[in-house]
Amino acid sequence: MMSLKCAGLAATSAAAVKLVRRPRCCFCSSAAPVFDSLHVQKPATDYRQYKTALLPNNLRVMVVSDSKCDRAAAALSVKVGSIFDPKDIPGLAHFCEHMLFLGTKKYPGEDEYNEYLSKNGGMSNAYTAETVTNYFFSVKPDSLDD
């Protein structure tokens, strides 16, 4: 799906507009994405709008606008899972997954990020599979900027 920390972005209609208008990326302070004309194939019944961009760090992102959705959301999938754990450190990918939720510069407290999301109608979670680790969150669109 989409991303976090500039690996990709997903948002509902209101949030997507905010992301497009920003001069800087809301996650890493790099230049905001410039959307390109890459065609996204989708079924005729899919009413959502898709935009793609290539970030300065060469990561391709996709923003999906869904006018029927009442949440903004983002997900980041990393092509590293449990199958890539070193033999002498089993569980490393899963351990790293949990480290993401221990605090950041903006949310330094161990559970501060999840408390913010919860107070704003959202949630976050992650999973580690054999070949991929995925992080995701959702929040009310009006709270995405905070």
Side-chain angles (χ1 to χ4, degrees):
M1 193 165 137
M2 314 331 123
S3 86
L4 184 60
K5 193 69 177 169
C6 280
L9 307 172
T12 61
S13 55
V17 171
K18 290 179 188 175
L19 291 173
V20 171
R21 291 182 181 159
R22 279 178 190 265
R24 312 295 290 168
C25 173
C26 61
F27 298 114
C28 73
S29 300
S30 64
V34 176
F35 293 97
D36 53 37
S37 60
L38 185 69
H39 177 69
V40 176
Q41 291 184 333
K42 63 180 186 174
T45 57
D46 188 349
Y47 60 88
R48 295 171 291 197
Q49 296 177 345
Y50 296 80
K51 293 182 181 180
T52 62
L54 187 64
L55 299 179
N57 59 3
N58 288 326
L59 291 173
R60 169 109 5 231
V61 298
M62 179 181 289
V63 175
V64 181
S65 294
D66 184 340
S67 60
K68 296 179 183 179
C69 194
D70 65 350
R71 294 287 177 265
L76 164 67
S77 287
V78 182
K79 286 179 99 176
V80 176
S82 59
I83 201 167
F84 300 104
D85 286 346
K87 289 182 181 184
D88 57 335
I89 313 175
L92 182 61
H94 191 221
F95 174 75
C96 290
E97 168 201 320
H98 284 267
M99 294 299 293
L100 180 74
F101 297 102
L102 291 181
T104 65
K105 187 175 184 179
K106 186 171 183 177
Y107 301 101
E110 183 176 339
D111 203 37
E112 191 174 343
Y113 173 66
N114 281 325
E115 287 174 13
Y116 170 79
L117 292 176
S118 181
K119 288 178 186 175
N120 290 284
M123 54 80 67
S124 73
N125 208 340
Y127 66 86
T128 300
E130 287 184 344
T131 60
V132 67
T133 301
N134 182 276
Y135 306 90
F136 55 93
F137 78 90
S138 67
V139 69
K140 292 180 198 172
D142 293 345
S143 302
L144 190 60
D145 262 352
D146 298 339

